[in-house]
Amino acid sequence: MNVVMMGPPGAGKGTQAGLLAERFGLVHLAPGDLLRQAVKEDTALGRRAKEYMDAGRLVPDDLIIELIGSRLREAVAHRAPGVVLDGFPRTLRQAEALTGLLEKAGGLDAVLNLCLPEDEAVARLTGRRVCRKCGANYHLVYKPPDSPDTCDRCGGPLYQRSDDTEATARARLEVYRRETEPLVTYYAEKGLLRDVDGRGSVGEVTERLASALGLDG
Ligand code: AP5
């Protein structure tokens, strides 16, 4: 089963894609995570991507398609039971490339579109904290760590992503509306789109997603 997780920044794509991958044995592929890793390792890709990410803009299509294409080819070579793509595609060009990339992997089964009001998305982004060591995700209000600044899972230091300030979060939402939202119509016309309410607890949203995939119960 190959699934795309769409939705505005802060909708909960990363949180939910991780849970779905674990529950259904899928490979979780997130260009945002791969790019942040490249920035941390100061690779050529990381150096090119950083200025776009810090400004809340999209990294050029060619770089992203190459990045995700290589990971998808690896997943196919290892006979993965499927993938959940979190944050890809984000442009029409990426969506068209994905069709080709999934040709040998059974095609795309569904596009889950997590819907969340903009102010709630901004509140989720500005309160997010991430573990520098293991990548675990927290929220100062909705999912607070036991002790401030320290990861419950591994004891690593927590930090705020440089693109999670209110100004950059709003810029990312604007980019989302302009560049990515048109894909909602694109996938609806292909009969693949499932709108899912992203409000409520993490568990409630997971159950809605499983139900949208016909995998509940
Ligand atoms: P990326 O990392 O993909 O950022 P994003 O799409 O903006 O999404 P986020 O990670 O901010 O939010 P999310 O929806 O995953 O929410 P999360 O689960 O973390 O991309 C970053 C940058 O990389 C882009 O701006 C761009 O520059 C570049 N990039 C990435 N992909 C690209 C592409 N395809 N093309 C070009 N450039 C690309 O949750 C957010 C917070 O809310 C967390 O604190 C979480 O704990 C909390 N939370 C989650 N669910 C709930 C809930 N139900 N209730 C309460 N709190 C919740």
Side-chain angles (χ1 to χ4, degrees):
M1 178 174 62
N2 299 312
V3 177
V4 162
M5 184 79 76
M6 264 189 76
K13 300 182 297 296
T15 302
Q16 297 296 339
L19 291 169
L20 288 183
E22 211 171 281
R23 183 155 158 188
F24 301 114
L26 306 173
V27 173
H28 176 189
L29 282 179
D33 291 346
L34 297 171
L35 291 170
R36 277 183 289 281
Q37 187 63 28
V39 170
K40 193 171 154 189
E41 290 167 2
D42 196 27
T43 64
L45 170 66
R47 285 191 293 276
R48 280 200 68 188
K50 189 174 182 332
E51 66 176 290
Y52 293 95
M53 297 172 80
D54 284 347
R57 289 160 55 210
L58 295 184
V59 173
D61 282 338
D62 289 340
L63 291 180
I64 296 291
I65 292 167
E66 172 55 32
L67 178 70
I68 290 298
S70 69
R71 298 301 172 120
L72 277 174
R73 283 189 285 276
E74 262 173 49
V76 172
H78 289 98
R79 298 183 187 282
V83 293
V84 50
L85 290 152
D86 149 19
F88 181 90
R90 274 171 139 113
T91 64
L92 189 57
R93 187 146 164 249
Q94 292 180 18
E96 285 166 354
L98 180 62
T99 306
L101 289 168
L102 286 179
E103 223 163 47
K104 289 186 186 153
L108 188 56
D109 296 286
V111 175
L112 298 167
N113 182 32
L114 270 181
C115 307
L116 193 73
E118 189 161 317
D119 283 342
E120 212 166 316
V122 171
R124 285 190 187 177
L125 292 171
T126 51
R128 172 167 51 196
R129 295 295 181 271
V130 183
C131 175
R132 205 173 281 287
K133 209 163 145 196
C134 74
N137 223 322
Y138 296 88
H139 191 282
L140 294 180
V141 177
Y142 307 129
K143 194 186 167 193
D146 289 341
S147 99
D149 308 326
T150 306
C151 178
D152 296 349
R153 201 201 283 173
C154 75
L158 302 184
Y159 78 105
Q160 182 176 34
R161 269 170 52 175
S162 55
D163 58 350
D164 275 349
T165 59
E166 172 146 6
T168 310
R170 296 220 179 258
R172 286 158 62 200
L173 282 158
E174 173 57 32
V175 168
Y176 172 79
R177 276 195 297 275
R178 198 176 57 239
E179 314 245 6
T180 307
E181 218 165 43
L183 296 185
V184 169
T185 310
Y186 174 86
Y187 282 122
E189 283 169 357
K190 292 185 181 297
L192 290 169
L193 193 81
R194 318 263 191 281
D195 281 330
V196 176
D197 186 354
R199 294 171 300 177
S201 72
V202 169
E204 284 165 346
V205 178
T206 309
E207 290 318 310
R208 280 182 215 133
L209 289 166
S211 153
L213 289 172
L215 296 169
D216 47 342

